[in-house]
Amino acid sequence: MKQRVLTGITTSGTPHLGNYVGAIRPAIAASREPEVQSFFFLADYHALIKCDDPARIERSRLEIAATWLASGLDPQRVCFYRQSDIPETPELTWLLTCVTAKGQMNRAHAYKAALEANLDAGEDADAGITMGLYSYPILMAADILLFNAHRVPVGRDQAQHIEMARDVAQRFNHLFGQGHDLFVLPKADIEEAVALLPGLDGRKMSKSYDNIIPLFEGGSRALKEAVARIVTDSRAPGEPKEPEGSALVAIHDVFANAEERAAFRAELRGGLGWGAAKERLVDVIEQQIGPLRDQYADLMAHPEQIEEILQAGASKARAVAKPFLESLRRAVGLRPMRASLQQAAMPTAEAADSAAATPVFKQYRESDGRFYFKLVSADGELLLQSEGFAEGREAGAWIKRLKTEGAAALADLPALNAPAGRPALEQALAALVAAQDA
Ligand code: TRP
């Protein structure tokens, strides 16, 4: 089965080198692997949690979209969309919210940090903390689980959120899966080398610390200016310098190859001045970023092209999300009303009889590599024969729907082949539904 890789970037700031090496670059590399299906999105609902400046949200969405595209994302190959264009995401958020323990959210790092900051400042513990911040990990779990992502490339600071998504997925599977997994359990994909790229002051590069090096915005001039502000020790040119632990060297590392890294260290130990070292750093970053700048500028000048790409991405994403969310709604009991439900609520001898002679579904794989299922009556008569599906879970999902919805689901089947006739098939399905609900 294809591995699904998914990641999002919160659209509350200007993309910086940390976003590029920590998320964008590895995600685009992963999207080019042959057996991978990728979902990359702009986490603009998450942005609303941190930012109440509409102009900044708007600007950031544009910059981040242009950054992904200029960095080599291929929207034909990848599903590239805005979180806020997928109404199934907030809908799933609610389903997950209802099975998430409050105590678990109390332990989320971002919330705990805000709480501790309040207490340190002598404020009320929850001062200024919104429900958005508190529930942030649930929205993120919905992003991931809606597309059943296997791998989620993120920075180390997001690892806890992926763990929380796994937990809530497990709980949902347990409560509503009836022995089948509704959700894939996601795994964080953390590039250890770049998990926490330092910023100008040596702390993690982050817009909240105001220590970033912009990726494209401001052009090569802004890059040079930012690099000039990287904090170093005060050793003069000619004095030997310790490369390990220096933010400048750590940033150089993620843009350089092994040879360049070793040479840079040797030169610093040999007395290379910090000023010259900064020029070296600018050069190595420019080698990668420089060639992408023109496309970035071009995209920024044509927001309507980006809009079109994102709209197309949203329809691709919703083609996956919509039917899946529909099945989740049914799993929790938000189902169309039907007569068989009422009957099932009152088990009768008749229902028990028909259950004893219940027809059975069989799922199998043919030599053509496709997955099929059929429904066979208690005495071996073929009642329904499916067409072939590319994935086993598709066939499984149909069986599940037919068992819970009965004949009502037949209308949606891509091809209907009922060798024993429609009435016999409908009768058999009704018996199955009754058995299921009893
Ligand atoms: N919370 C992530 C960050 O700030 C962004 C994000 C939102 C995300 N939803 C996601 C990342 C889903 C990966 C998967 O970096």
Side-chain angles (χ1 to χ4, degrees), residues 64-293:
I64 294 181
T67 297
W68 274 109
L69 293 166
S71 300
L73 175 137
D74 174 1
Q76 298 301 321
R77 188 179 166 87
V78 168
C79 210
F80 181 52
Y81 56 96
R82 272 178 299 222
Q83 185 185 33
S84 65
D85 285 337
I86 315 294
E88 289 75 17
T89 299
E91 209 173 332
L92 177 57
T93 301
W94 183 251
L95 301 189
L96 300 179
T97 300
C98 293
V99 302
T100 302
K102 174 173 178 286
Q104 190 177 24
M105 293 301 99
N106 290 342
R107 290 189 287 278
H109 296 323
Y111 168 68
K112 259 174 58 178
L115 194 95
E116 277 156 24
N118 277 337
L119 293 176
D120 288 348
E123 301 261 8
D124 179 75
D126 279 327
I129 297 178
T130 63
M131 287 307 295
L133 176 67
Y134 191 65
S135 308
Y136 181 112
I138 312 179
L139 176 58
M140 184 157 158
D143 290 331
I144 298 168
L145 302 180
L146 185 58
F147 296 100
N148 276 307
H150 300 93
R151 284 157 54 191
V152 186
V154 281
R156 154 128 348 268
D157 59 324
Q158 296 292 317
Q160 187 197 34
H161 292 146
I162 315 297
E163 282 307 312
M164 290 178 159
R166 276 179 83 87
D167 283 353
V168 63
Q170 237 157 352
R171 182 155 173 73
F172 201 92
N173 283 346
H174 173 70
L175 286 170
F176 304 116
Q178 298 185 315
H180 298 270
D181 281 347
L182 294 163
F183 292 128
V184 164
L185 303 185
K187 267 179 59 187
D189 226 356
I190 294 165
E191 269 215 40
E192 286 305 335
V194 294
L196 286 182
L197 189 75
L200 301 178
D201 56 0
R203 291 186 294 171
K204 181 203 168 190
M205 189 179 293
S206 162
K207 49 206 165 211
S208 33
Y209 293 146
D210 197 20
N211 65 356
I212 65 152
I213 301 177
L215 179 58
F216 295 124
E217 277 300 307
S220 55
R221 218 180 102 191
L223 174 66
K224 279 194 198 109
E225 280 168 9
V227 168
R229 284 165 45 224
I230 296 177
V231 176
T232 59
D233 63 30
S234 53
R235 276 169 225 271
E239 277 185 74
K241 300 176 184 63
E242 176 49 51
E244 303 313 328
S246 144
L248 197 150
V249 174
I251 300 169
H252 182 274
D253 276 353
V254 298
F255 287 96
N257 59 34
E259 221 171 290
E260 291 164 329
R261 283 181 217 149
F264 196 47
R265 281 172 169 69
E267 283 185 278
L268 283 167
R269 292 205 163 96
L272 181 72
W274 286 123
K278 286 179 173 179
E279 277 169 31
R280 212 61 69 79
L281 174 59
V282 168
D283 287 346
V284 82
I285 297 174
E286 277 294 335
Q287 270 173 34
Q288 263 190 58
I289 301 308
L292 313 176
R293 279 222 178 84

Side-chain angles (χ1 to χ4, degrees), residues 373-376 380-386 416-425:
F373 66 87
K374 58 187 176 184
L375 180 64
V376 184
E381 193 178 13
L382 181 62
L383 299 169
L384 175 67
Q385 169 64 60
S386 83
L416 181 60
N417 177 6
R422 178 101 187 203
L425 173 60

Side-chain angles (χ1 to χ4, degrees), residues 21-39:
V21 298
I24 297 172
R25 195 174 64 179
I28 291 176
S31 77
R32 293 185 175 139
E33 291 169 26
E35 281 300 297
V36 161
Q37 189 183 4
S38 305
F39 297 84

